[in-house]
Amino acid sequence: MKVEKQARYALLLAARDSEYVKNVYGGYFNVFVAAFGAEGERWDLYRVVEGEFPEMSELENYDGFVISGSPYDAYGNDHWIIKLCFLLQSLDAMEKKVLGICFGHQVLCKALGGKVGKAYTGWDIGLRKVKIVKDLSPFSFFDGLDEIPPALSIIECHQDEVWEVPLGAEVIGYSNKTGVEMFTIGGHILGIQGHPEYSKDILYNLIDRLLNNNCIEKGFAENARSALQLAEPDRKSWEKICKIFLKGR
């Protein structure tokens, strides 16, 4: 009898756990696995922000990789960011499935030859309606997404953005705030600027921390909180997009 191989994925965590996420969820790792994982899978954690990386000899054993958000700039010259870019170039050459979220979306772009910088229109914090382009090829992972509407709300929290996608990439999502909300390369690279894994409570706490650290002004924070109360993100649809991309189902 043939034994089916256990699916194995890795989270490349580019942020340190906040006290809130540690207390409520046990860490960002649990947030990602709850959103994208399934029973019977193996998920490994690499805290790349702390210099923890998978061995090159181990990469072949993984079915996919997810890069998290981060308070760091994807275009920075920190040693771990440079090392992460090298890893992403290797995964691209191997055509491994790689999903980049927020900072992960941006650092994927940078590593593969695109351009990233400060957003021309400043911070984007809150819910954003992303228009999805389904009729581009070769995006086979959209084949199972016929019921996904042409626009989806997602939680955003970023002040950097993709300026120019890598050669061979296609922009498959955009909004009235950000020109590159999603991009893909072939069937193995997917970048999403928003946070499909976030719930609103995580963003509320993040707004408070940004305000306390003088990263945003009080009026901006109050407006962001108020707007969040008026609508909900399309989390189930975003999770389905990510799962179908990573696993083909």
Side-chain angles (χ1 to χ4, degrees), residues 16-17 19 28 42-44 50 54 78 94 105 109 140 142 194-195 235 237 245:
R16 294 173 178 88
D17 291 324
E19 286 302 315
Y28 283 119
R42 171 175 168 177
W43 282 76
D44 297 332
E50 305 283 4
D78 306 69
M94 297 170 72
H105 160 85
C109 176
S140 57
F142 273 149
H195 284 275
R235 289 188 67 200
S237 293
F245 166 72

Side-chain angles (χ1 to χ4, degrees), residues 73-148:
D73 296 327
Y75 46 85
N77 292 318
D78 306 69
H79 177 71
W80 70 271
I81 294 178
I82 294 170
K83 188 173 180 179
L84 177 59
C85 287
F86 175 75
L87 171 61
L88 297 178
Q89 290 163 2
S90 300
L91 294 175
D92 176 49
M94 297 170 72
E95 295 194 350
K96 285 289 185 181
K97 292 285 184 80
V98 183
L99 169 63
I101 304 296
C102 197
F103 165 90
H105 160 85
Q106 297 161 11
V107 80
L108 256 179
C109 176
K110 176 197 172 185
L112 302 183
K115 293 181 181 178
V116 180
K118 283 280 182 286
Y120 294 116
T121 54
W123 278 98
D124 191 7
I125 301 178
L127 287 177
R128 183 68 51 186
K129 186 75 77 173
V130 175
K131 297 177 179 64
I132 296 174
V133 182
K134 293 187 185 180
D135 56 355
L136 293 175
S137 180
F139 307 118
S140 57
F141 62 89
F142 273 149
D143 289 351
L145 295 170
D146 292 340
E147 75 280 12
I148 297 292

